[in-house]
Amino acid sequence: MTATAPPARLMLAALLLCTSAGAAPFAYITNQGSHDVSVIDLASQRVVSSIPVGKSPAGVVASSRAGRTFVSNPDSKTISVIDMRRQQVVNTLPAGDGPVGIDISGDGKHLYAADWYSSRLLVFDALAAKASKPLAAIAVGRAPAGVAAHSDGATVFVAERDDDSVAVVDTAARRVAARVRVGSHPFALLYDAPRARLYALNVQSNDVTVIDVRDTRRPAVVATVKAGKAPYGAALAQGGALLYVTNQHEDTVSVIDAASLKVLRTLPGFAYPEGIAAHGDRVYVVNWMDDNVQVLDAATGQKLSTIATGQNSRGFGAFIGAPMEP
Amino acid sequence: MPTQPFSRRTLSVLLASALLAASASSQAHGPTRQKVSEKVTIEAPADAVWAKVKNFNALKEWHPAVADSPADKGNAEGSVRTVKLKDGGTLIETLESYDDAQKKYSYRAKDGGALPVTNYTSTLSVVADGGKSVVEWRGAFYRGFPNNNPPPELNDEAALKAVTGVYRGGLAHLKKMMESK
């Protein structure tokens, strides 16, 4: 029985290392009306910084690995790069005609942005120190919105909103390797790595398409789950047991059992909810209409507190991260 | 030899593709949604104010710019209201949700109406504040021109100005009507 002791001790050591190496996590909320990012310290549940970025910031990805947060600014056609330790913009990347959804590779080296107006997926060097051109621009379908990077580091999913499909992009070959039809007007995507599943949120058909992507060359729709009106953002909480979905035109949040794909409950009382992310036992919902973030207990969905943000807060993407030690 | 920059054939192809682009983008919109939220406090009980505005077809009763506003299914979800403006414009709006207990309703406008907006949704609500009431009118929309580099009459500022004008005009008139009794 002593055989279990070393791994347990190792695990504890690894856990302690993680805790001490990583600073307290922050939530980076893009504010499309005030052209800035509200930084919420999740330890104190307070806004600790408001960072001016480009015009009308929408998409966001906070990369703990890169120690940077990336923000897409569709109206200034740039991506602002925020250093998580200094909480300030350290670089601005020119990004096509109107970048929206963004995500980053698991190793924190490559940044992907959907270029809405020109139907391309742009690939950037996430660690670039200076404004530099994309490494690649890969043609995708019309009005590309949400972007989700596969954990394999070679595949990126793109929601092609006006084509009602999701593209599976092979980033090495720089082309769409496969395509799957989803509901009407997919906007946000969420990748569920442990289940090798992708969720596409269909704004017009009011549902979530669940796609099996174990074989990325043959993505297969396994279920379509009815959500509320205009499902917009998604997050997995409680160790992946619960899928939370914001319903923009219904001012509600759907809580879905990620195993059975049954809607467990629909939480009322939001205001044009958009971005959503989970951390620990909390879920953070961004209310575009009310300019705030509501903090929920992930297990019960109960509202715990409200944090004021900048104007027209959106938080479209994985907005929570903590800088790791280099 | 060619003195014109485009041959006739090239021109017709360009024209056709421009028309195609225009029709394809009629459902689309850019990535930056705008909002307007206007509130007014009225010296009248919430029940009385709600009674004035509660019917989806009652816009003509209290909005000074509206000539007529018939709704085909009353206050049932899905009811379609045709708003005829006194200056000649028209808006087609569909009731998306209706809550008599909470004194609020939401509707969505069909694109291409009298306002320079697309994907327009709106909510009107009445909340009691002691013996007074607070009426709030909120809208979410995109500018009229869905693509990059909009002309001035269809840009974000034009959309914000137009919707703000509709809400302020309506709420100010409602306040005047309710308080003059």
Side-chain angles (χ1 to χ4, degrees):
Chain A
M1 290 308 284
T2 50
T4 57
R9 211 178 295 142
L10 262 176
M11 274 177 65
L12 185 65
L15 197 67
L16 286 171
L17 198 67
C18 258
T19 314
S20 59
F26 299 99
Y28 294 84
I29 311 299
T30 49
N31 302 311
Q32 216 163 10
S34 47
H35 315 293
D36 53 17
V37 170
S38 298
V39 184
I40 300 169
D41 178 350
L42 297 192
S44 66
Q45 303 273 303
R46 285 178 44 241
V47 172
V48 291
S49 185
S50 177
I51 307 171
V53 291
K55 201 165 174 225
S56 313
V60 56
V61 60
S63 172
S64 303
R65 186 66 66 102
R68 292 174 157 197
T69 294
F70 303 86
V71 170
S72 67
N73 309 303
D75 287 344
S76 53
K77 305 169 189 178
T78 57
I79 290 170
S80 299
V81 183
I82 296 166
D83 183 309
M84 284 187 179
R85 293 178 189 82
R86 292 155 59 193
Q87 307 295 16
Q88 57 180 245
V89 173
V90 292
N91 196 6
T92 302
L93 302 163
D97 294 335
V100 186
I102 58 178
D103 202 6
I104 193 159
S105 59
D107 61 9
K109 289 182 180 165
H110 291 113
L111 180 74
Y112 309 104
D115 189 359
W116 177 275
Y117 292 111
S118 66
S119 302
R120 296 178 302 176
L121 177 72
L122 305 178
V123 184
F124 296 89
D125 173 3
L127 300 172
K130 289 187 229 161
S132 38
K133 283 185 190 164
L135 301 172
I138 304 165
V140 294
R142 291 182 298 159
V147 172
H150 190 291
S151 45
D152 67 5
T155 308
V156 176
F157 305 104
V158 181
E160 300 168 319
R161 194 198 68 163
D162 288 2
D163 286 337
D164 299 338
S165 55
V166 170
V168 181
V169 177
D170 177 334
T171 56
R174 297 185 175 182
R175 64 180 186 86
V176 175
R179 191 166 261 135
V180 58
R181 279 201 76 75
V182 295
S184 182
H185 278 202
F187 196 84
L189 295 179
L190 179 69
Y191 178 60
D192 181 347
R195 294 185 181 90
R197 250 192 210 164
L198 185 74
Y199 305 98
L201 282 76
N202 307 306
V203 173
Q204 271 187 357
S205 51
N206 303 325
D207 48 27
V208 179
T209 306
V210 184
I211 307 159
D212 181 333
V213 290
R214 277 175 298 180
D215 180 350
T216 52
R217 299 293 165 135
R218 287 171 195 79
V221 173
V222 292
T224 302
V225 183
K226 206 76 195 156
K229 280 183 191 158
Y232 212 77
L236 283 158
Q238 294 290 90
L242 300 177
L243 176 67
Y244 274 73
V245 173
T246 56
N247 302 307
Q248 205 187 49
H249 288 166
E250 198 179 88
D251 295 341
T252 63
V253 169
S254 300
V255 185
I256 298 163
D257 182 319
S260 67
L261 295 173
K262 295 271 185 294
V263 177
L264 299 174
R265 51 189 168 268
T266 302
L267 313 172
F270 299 89
Y272 239 87
E274 295 220 333
I276 184 166
H279 182 81
D281 56 2
R282 303 279 161 89
V283 174
Y284 299 83
V285 179
V286 182
N287 289 300
W288 177 82
M289 187 57 94
D290 278 352
D291 301 332
N292 66 32
V293 168
Q294 268 169 334
V295 187
L296 313 182
D297 178 86
T300 63
Q302 193 195 342
K303 283 179 198 162
L304 302 174
S305 62
T306 303
I307 303 166
T309 57
Q311 288 165 34
N312 301 13
S313 47
R314 204 153 177 200
F316 180 57
F319 56 71
I320 294 175
M324 283 170 64
E325 292 301 322
Chain B
M1 164 73 177
T3 53
Q4 289 170 292
F6 301 111
S7 69
R8 187 164 292 222
R9 183 178 150 73
T10 314
L11 267 180
S12 66
V13 168
L14 277 174
L15 187 65
S17 60
L19 286 171
L20 198 68
S23 69
S25 64
S26 63
Q27 288 282 311
H29 58 71
T32 307
R33 194 188 318 106
Q34 306 295 330
K35 75 180 172 199
V36 167
S37 180
E38 290 289 330
K39 266 186 198 179
V40 68
T41 300
I42 298 179
E43 302 275 349
D47 285 342
V49 175
W50 177 240
K52 187 77 189 168
V53 302
K54 68 180 282 182
N55 289 321
F56 192 48
N57 66 1
L59 199 59
K60 69 169 191 292
E61 317 270 333
W62 60 273
H63 200 295
V66 175
D68 202 4
S69 53
D72 69 351
K73 289 195 226 83
N75 295 337
E77 283 180 24
S79 181
V80 177
R81 171 168 86 177
T82 305
V83 179
K84 288 175 185 150
L85 303 178
K86 286 177 181 166
D87 70 6
T90 300
L91 284 154
I92 309 289
E93 296 169 338
T94 304
L95 192 60
E96 288 217 316
S97 69
Y98 190 89
D99 192 331
D100 194 40
Q102 287 205 54
K103 298 186 178 63
K104 67 174 183 181
Y105 66 82
S106 301
Y107 57 93
R108 163 178 294 277
K110 199 175 159 189
D111 289 349
L115 293 169
V117 298
T118 54
N119 276 53
Y120 171 63
T121 55
S122 181
T123 301
L124 185 75
S125 66
V126 181
V127 175
D129 179 14
K132 304 178 203 172
S133 51
V134 177
V135 184
E136 187 174 35
W137 205 349
R138 288 173 150 190
F141 48 88
Y142 292 83
R143 67 188 179 215
F145 189 78
N147 298 318
N148 250 348
N149 309 315
E153 70 277 14
L154 294 175
N155 66 12
D156 289 331
E157 290 71 28
L160 284 166
K161 192 180 165 201
V163 177
T164 303
V166 169
Y167 291 3
R168 284 191 184 157
L171 293 177
H173 193 243
L174 178 66
K175 178 179 170 71
K176 207 169 126 193
M177 289 173 79
M178 295 307 297
E179 291 180 352
S180 66
K181 281 183 184 173

